[in-house]
């Protein structure tokens, strides 16, 4: 069965500092991986996705993630945090079986940006 | 292009009642999925509909049901409400036929409170 683990339910960084949010997956088949962001009282917005085309994926708002098969990881990074990045971030995996759109989400990481 | 629309945004119901939530997907999207988000359990997959047929189902009791109409709009119903059903219910639509790596677009959710 596929699963996703997000290390750290809360992460605090200073404005301008590096953001690193960790995600490890478990999958017996090559997975499709996603990062979503959720602002208070909002739905989820896609930041980026990995679909095996390239291991380094660039997303919106300056975020990027690197797929490392050997480490079964898909960590999210941003070189310089901005106050507007404060939100909850979810890593998700979707099985590579065609015809299904079920996502399995991690438990989320709440990012706090300190002035 | 309009996003995923969920109605109502907020709902308060009494234990034992039933509730119906509505979701209008992005125009052209034929896959609609539903998720329950709670602080304790995180984001959990409820079910997915495609062309009016339930294609996937999560691990929820039979009190949770859904349907999809010919115009792809979807409803989910929860009968005999319990306090533990209080959650944010998120609907997501996808452009089916593009493969499982296709991203899902989420609505803002319906916040259900059971008292």
């Amino acid at each position: 069965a596929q699963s996703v683990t997000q290390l750290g339910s809360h992460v605090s960084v200073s404005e301008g500092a590096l953001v690193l949010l960790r995600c490890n997956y478990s999958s017996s088949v090559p997975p499709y991986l996603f990062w979503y962001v959720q602002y208070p009282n909002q739905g989820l917005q896609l930041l980026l996705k990995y679909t095996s085309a390239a291991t380094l994926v660039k997303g919106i708002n300056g975020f990027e993630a690197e797929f490392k098969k050997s480490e079964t990881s898909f960590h999210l990074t941003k070189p310089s945090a901005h106050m507007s990045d404060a939100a909850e971030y979810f890593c998700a995996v979707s099985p590579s079986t065609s015809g299904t759109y079920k996502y399995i989400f991690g438990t989320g990481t709440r990012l706090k940006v300190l002035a | 292009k309009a996003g995923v629309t969920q109605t109502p945004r907020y709902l308060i119901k009494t234990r034992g009642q039933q509730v119906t939530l509505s979701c209008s997907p992005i125009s052209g999207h034929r896959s609609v999925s539903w998720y329950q988000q709670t602080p304790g359990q995180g984001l959990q997959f409820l079910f997915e509909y495609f062309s009016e047929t339930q294609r996937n189902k999560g691990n929820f009791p039979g009190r949770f049901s859904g349907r999809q109409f010919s115009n792809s709009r979807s409803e989910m119903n929860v009968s005999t409400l319990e306090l533990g059903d209080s959650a944010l219910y998120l609907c997501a639509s996808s452009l089916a036929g593009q493969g499982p790596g296709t991203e899902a677009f989420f609505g803002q959710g319906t916040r259900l409170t059971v008292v």
Side-chain angles (χ1 to χ4, degrees):
Chain A
Q2 296 187 322
S3 65
V4 170
T5 301
Q6 290 185 243
L7 293 174
S9 58
H10 292 82
V11 170
S12 293
V13 300
S14 298
E15 190 174 21
L18 171 72
V19 176
L20 171 61
L21 304 182
R22 300 177 187 273
C23 172
N24 287 87
Y25 69 91
S26 171
S27 176
S28 58
V29 297
Y32 292 98
L33 294 160
F34 305 80
W35 274 100
Y36 280 87
V37 61
Q38 185 178 35
Y39 298 100
N41 296 316
Q42 299 292 319
L44 278 69
Q45 179 184 9
L46 180 71
L47 282 175
L48 49 82
K49 67 176 183 180
Y50 167 75
T51 57
S52 77
T55 56
L56 183 62
V57 182
K58 293 187 183 299
I60 62 171
N61 301 339
F63 285 94
E64 63 181 37
E66 186 173 8
F67 175 74
K68 292 187 177 180
K69 186 178 178 180
S70 61
E71 299 177 7
T72 60
S73 69
F74 190 56
H75 301 331
L76 181 71
T77 60
K78 182 174 180 177
S80 176
H82 191 272
M83 297 298 289
S84 60
D85 294 328
E88 190 157 21
Y89 293 78
F90 293 91
C91 182
V93 63
S94 177
S96 57
T97 306
S98 63
T100 178
Y101 295 89
K102 172 183 175 180
Y103 283 18
I104 298 167
F105 284 91
T107 51
T109 298
R110 190 171 297 278
L111 176 66
K112 187 175 182 179
V113 181
L114 307 171
Chain B
K1 193 173 186 180
V4 179
T5 303
Q6 291 188 246
T7 57
R9 287 292 310 277
Y10 301 92
L11 208 48
I12 299 175
K13 289 288 188 178
T14 305
R15 263 185 308 174
Q17 286 186 314
Q18 74 165 17
V19 67
T20 299
L21 312 181
S22 180
C23 172
S24 292
I26 292 172
S27 177
H29 286 195
R30 294 163 62 195
S31 170
V32 174
S33 302
W34 289 88
Y35 293 82
Q36 182 196 63
Q37 185 177 23
T38 60
Q41 300 297 318
L43 280 152
Q44 293 187 287
F45 173 79
L46 279 156
F47 27 65
E48 183 224 353
Y49 285 86
F50 174 73
S51 291
E52 301 179 63
T53 301
Q54 187 180 88
R55 195 159 60 169
N56 283 285
K57 190 178 191 310
N59 189 26
F60 278 82
R63 299 186 297 108
F64 292 82
S65 63
R67 59 177 176 169
Q68 186 181 33
F69 302 94
S70 57
N71 61 357
S72 294
R73 190 177 71 85
S74 177
E75 289 180 348
M76 68 162 281
N77 184 276
V78 188
S79 62
T80 320
L81 283 165
E82 300 176 0
L83 295 179
D85 297 333
S86 295
L88 180 67
Y89 289 88
L90 292 165
C91 167
S93 74
S94 299
L95 189 59
Q98 303 299 307
T102 306
E103 62 264 35
F105 295 83
F106 285 80
Q108 291 188 300
T110 294
R111 171 76 62 186
L112 172 65
T113 302
V114 182
V115 298

